[in-house]
Amino acid sequence: MVLAPVTVAVAAAAIAAVAVGAGAVTAGVGPEAAGAWLLPVAVVVAWESVFLARRTGLNHPPGDPGAVAAGIGVANAVTLGRGLLYAGVAGFVLTGPLAGAWAWAPALLYGIGAAMDAVDGALARRFGRPTVLGAKLDMGIDTLGFLVAPLVGVAWGRLPVWYLTLSAARYLFKLGRWRRHRRGLPVFDLPDSRVRRPLAGVQMAFIAVALAPVLPPFVVAVLAGVVVVPSLAVFVRDYLAVAGHLSRAEVDAGVDADTETGTDGDTGVTGDGADPADD
């Protein structure tokens, strides 16, 4: 795999950001906590770098694969910045709960990253540079956030462990689709969805609140049940749809009901209207 110059530049910026973060944790908490923080951060940043390097050829507008841009673009830079924030969140999986101002660090990092989710797509549209790479990055970083932030929540005793079923659902969905492709079975399109982004916003807001040292864990657990059950049910419906176990009429009826009741045909975990199995 030959790394494009833009990938090398992004990796260098990521290393610098990680070094700054490690220095801050060392100064604020101590070298032992910094070491614990650094390990998962390094793993996540390495994954993000490989994810980008494998997709630099997709830095072109949809439908125009010959127009690959040399630069990453402002919108994709924002998305990658979100990825660094989520990597910072991941570091707190191994530190254990911290006291004082550092108790707020995971919630603030995740909350800022989630708020930036509304910015990258708007920038791409504003500057006329929506790309296939941008869509892939947005989905991949969204999914990463929905994995690492709940893991921190569970590790810190802020979230019930069963909330991780929502983090696992997308990967199980992908596995199910992959197995059907591998076995030569038909895989159908997902039903249309009108409220994916609002549902994603609800999940992101809930996770940020859950990570903050504000609500008692038992209150967070109750709220977790409220937000996670409909999303898991929708994942099941979506898989039944792509596997062909629901008729087109049943799928359309479900979409109509979603539009009326606000319960969408997607979980809100998978990103900007794209197929959850496509990363």
Side-chain angles (χ1 to χ4, degrees):
M1 178 176 61
V2 178
L3 296 181
V6 66
T7 307
V8 175
V10 169
I15 292 172
V18 170
V20 171
V25 177
T26 300
V29 184
E32 184 175 347
W37 178 85
L38 189 58
L39 178 59
V41 170
V43 171
V44 171
V45 170
W47 175 86
E48 292 172 342
S49 299
V50 172
F51 187 94
L52 174 63
R54 292 178 58 188
R55 292 163 176 82
T56 53
L58 299 176
N59 195 22
H60 60 76
D64 192 5
V68 178
I72 200 69
V74 176
N76 288 340
V78 171
T79 305
L80 291 170
R82 292 175 52 219
L84 287 177
L85 290 172
Y86 292 163
V89 174
F92 294 102
V93 170
L94 298 183
T95 64
L98 301 179
W102 283 95
W104 288 87
L108 290 175
L109 290 175
Y110 181 78
I112 293 170
M116 290 169 61
D117 187 37
V119 176
D120 47 12
L123 286 173
R125 292 186 292 272
R126 171 68 177 82
F127 292 103
R129 283 202 57 182
T131 62
V132 176
L133 174 63
K136 299 288 187 183
L137 280 175
D138 187 60
M139 182 181 299
I141 298 303
D142 279 352
T143 303
L144 173 68
F146 279 113
L147 174 63
V148 300
L151 281 173
V152 174
V154 171
W156 282 33
R158 300 292 308 162
L159 278 170
V161 67
W162 47 260
Y163 186 81
L164 295 177
T165 56
L166 187 59
S167 302
R170 193 245 178 180
Y171 297 98
L172 293 174
F173 188 101
K174 284 188 64 176
L175 176 63
R177 284 187 55 128
W178 176 82
R179 283 176 56 85
R180 290 188 66 82
H181 279 297
R182 182 78 177 253
R183 296 164 61 191
L185 298 174
V187 178
F188 298 92
D189 292 335
L190 276 172
D192 291 335
S193 170
R194 297 186 180 183
V195 293
R196 174 177 280 114
R197 298 308 295 174
L199 286 177
V202 168
Q203 292 288 350
M204 289 177 175
F206 166 73
I207 293 172
V209 171
L211 291 176
V214 177
L215 298 177
F218 77 89
V219 174
V220 173
V222 172
L223 294 175
V226 172
V227 299
V228 80
V229 170
S231 294
L232 291 177
V234 167
F235 257 123
V236 172
R237 192 203 73 164
D238 283 350
Y239 182 76
L240 293 176
V242 300
H245 297 310
L246 293 179
S247 69
R248 188 71 247 177
E250 289 173 315
V251 172
D252 290 341
V255 172
D256 291 341
D258 293 342
T259 303
E260 293 171 2
T261 64
T263 305
D264 185 40
D266 266 302
T267 63
V269 176
T270 57
D272 288 320
D275 188 334
D278 180 20
D279 60 1

